[in-house]
Amino acid sequence: MAEKNKKNHVKAESEMKKQRHLQIGMLFMSVICALPAMAQDYDIVINNGRVMDPETNFDGVRNVGIKDGKIAAITKDAIKGKETINAEGHVVAPGFIEGHQHATDQFSRKVNLRDGLTTQMDFESGAGDIAKWYADHEGKTQANYGMVVLATLARVSVLDGPEIAALGNDMGELFRGVVGAAAAKAQKEGRKPGWSSTLPNKEQMTRIMSYVDEGLRQGALGVGVPVGYMTTGVTQYELYKYQELAAKYGRVTNGHVRFAGVRPPNEGQLGVQEMMANAMVLDAPFMASHLNSNMDWEYTIPMINDAREKRGAKVWGEVYPYAAGSTIASADMLTESGMAQMGITYSDVANLDGTRWDKAMYEDVRKNDPGRAIVIYNNPPEAIAKWLAMPGVVVVSDGMAIQDEKLNYYPWDSPYEGKSVHPRSAGTRAKVLRMVREEKIMPLMEAISKMSYLHAKYFDELGGIPHFKTKGRMQEGMDADIVVFNPDTVTDNSTYEPGKGALPSTGIPYVLVNGVVVVKDSEVQKVFPGKPIRFPVMEKGRLDQISIEPRTFDPNQS
């Protein structure tokens, strides 16, 4: 009996040991599972910030752990990392996204980072040689970057000459060399510039489309068609063909549409309808540029929203928070008839030094300096809050390259002071956030969404760009593109005054791109973590899937 009791005691003790081992094992596992909330398991930790996620409407004080370029944890638990940011009193939001930033030089991008912009792309214009453009920016770009292929440079190459097109490869370089050289060559030959005014014949049209097709084959995000600069040169048929070719790749066509203004017969709404109708016929994505500058945003924005939400069209539009626009002196909208259409006159146009035009300056600049960047005061300031608050639109800057009087770029470490440019290049997002605080134009979450998540949603779900599935969100597993700002102090400082156009925004002390701190204590760091937003290069283009049968035109016809 005693032996039996001894055996039972040993057995019970063995079972107790097993239980203790099991409990210790479970405790060990719980510690292991809790490790993300302990020790230096993260590259960067952002503590005590008000985390705001526009997709889920989450809004709460949390700690954020970042590992390998991703958001690894959003938690109430205390966490540590190799680097710690104290975000107490600040909002921690998805990095801002932009599909309408023309500036691709390093200084302009640095100014954009001070405004919280972590993904900078140009969909309105774009680049000509896509392979070269991406190669030139690899490893040299602080924010994420992407481009569409620019139909304008295709037309320049074919209708003005490849030697003219070779003078520039994006919007900043267009202003600097291409536009002026094309105008000079046309003037010497006694004709109008080919890119803006010539109706191509079938052979020319095929070559133009081949140029665009090559850009798409090389991974361009879509096609940029600023038809508003080529109103007498691009037929409705040619415009349709651009959109059809982009649709063959399932990619976006962006349109600076044909008309601006509110007076019939050529109202801004008609230009939007032209490209939106093509998109709906083709079941293709279409993005309408800066609807506020078309001047009839009260009608076009609801029309686009209805097409998308009630008809399933892949269409959306954008606005920016400024009453004045900026363009080049030779723009079609600045013809006498174009200004009448918009209801403006010479004095509503100004040089970047603040000088207002008169008739004499109008004639001189448009003839002798067609690529000059100018400002057009074409909207009442009190309308800004109204179009920003319209549902469905995204906020962009339409930022211009920050260049000197000779249209040269500034070096990266150039001072912010002394630069004359439209203030939207530097202050767009901070201005929206300041207006939210001071004028209560919309909830803060909605403003953040219009500058981050809504871009990502449209580019992914409508535009088919897969990179945006993991952008524009403050969620675990998403890209660590993050902006940290003080909602009580964030302010735009850039103005229209000469020398003050590039003054950086304040109240945005930290910006991260792909998990790398790019702005630290409001100082831009000289690091370049930006990644390309680009489709894979294809072996073969898709131009052979469409036919080109336009009417025959005299190539010298004006």
Side-chain angles (χ1 to χ4, degrees), residues 479-499:
D479 295 342
D481 298 335
I482 298 172
V483 58
V484 179
F485 66 88
N486 187 330
D488 298 324
T489 65
V490 61
T491 299
D492 56 311
N493 299 298
S494 57
T495 72
Y496 295 101
E497 290 184 65

Side-chain angles (χ1 to χ4, degrees), residues 140-331:
K140 305 173 186 175
T141 308
Q142 296 194 276
N144 302 309
Y145 55 98
M147 269 295 182
V148 297
V149 60
L150 175 56
T152 299
L153 272 174
R155 288 177 58 85
V156 170
S157 181
V158 173
L159 302 175
D160 293 294
E163 76 283 2
I164 304 294
L167 295 174
N169 199 34
D170 58 29
M171 179 64 88
E173 293 173 342
L174 274 176
F175 292 176
R176 183 165 57 175
V178 175
V179 171
K185 181 178 180 181
Q187 189 173 3
K188 183 178 180 180
E189 296 175 0
R191 59 175 177 82
K192 292 183 178 181
W195 71 271
S196 62
S197 306
T198 295
L199 300 171
N201 58 32
K202 179 179 178 179
E203 185 270 335
Q204 292 168 329
M205 179 87 163
T206 302
R207 287 165 55 202
I208 289 169
M209 290 296 162
S210 295
Y211 188 110
V212 174
D213 185 59
E214 175 60 15
L216 291 167
R217 188 187 74 79
Q218 287 288 347
L221 299 175
V223 181
V225 191
V227 64
Y229 290 84
M230 309 176 289
T231 56
T232 61
V234 173
T235 62
Q236 292 176 340
Y237 177 85
E238 181 179 342
L239 185 55
Y240 181 85
K241 286 297 177 181
Y242 289 132
Q243 293 184 251
E244 182 186 32
L245 183 56
K248 292 296 180 183
Y249 289 83
R251 301 183 195 172
V252 179
T253 299
N254 180 286
H256 175 131
V257 299
R258 192 182 296 271
F259 304 119
V262 295
R263 299 182 181 183
N266 300 329
E267 302 165 61
Q269 187 169 1
L270 183 61
V272 174
Q273 288 174 329
E274 177 184 24
M275 296 191 74
M276 191 168 72
N278 291 344
M280 294 179 77
V281 168
L282 295 163
D283 189 27
F286 163 58
M287 177 181 180
S289 289
H290 44 54
L291 292 171
N292 55 290
S293 64
N294 293 331
M295 301 178 70
D296 54 2
W297 52 271
E298 293 172 279
Y299 317 110
T300 53
I301 292 174
M303 178 179 68
I304 290 172
N305 287 343
D306 282 349
R308 182 182 64 255
E309 295 168 7
K310 297 180 180 179
R311 299 287 179 266
K314 302 172 184 176
V315 298
W316 73 100
E318 29 159 270
V319 295
Y320 56 74
Y322 294 89
S326 187
T327 184
I328 55 174
S330 61

Side-chain angles (χ1 to χ4, degrees), residues 428-447:
T428 291
R429 280 143 286 273
K431 180 173 182 178
V432 171
L433 295 172
R434 176 177 59 78
M435 292 178 70
V436 167
R437 178 178 69 246
E438 297 177 352
E439 303 176 34
K440 307 294 188 292
I441 60 172
M442 69 181 89
L444 178 58
M445 185 71 83
E446 184 179 356

Side-chain angles (χ1 to χ4, degrees), residues 120-137:
Q120 304 161 308
M121 304 172 292
D122 186 357
F123 274 70
E124 185 203 25
S125 55
D129 186 335
I130 291 296
K132 181 180 186 301
W133 189 88
Y134 277 100
D136 287 347
H137 288 80

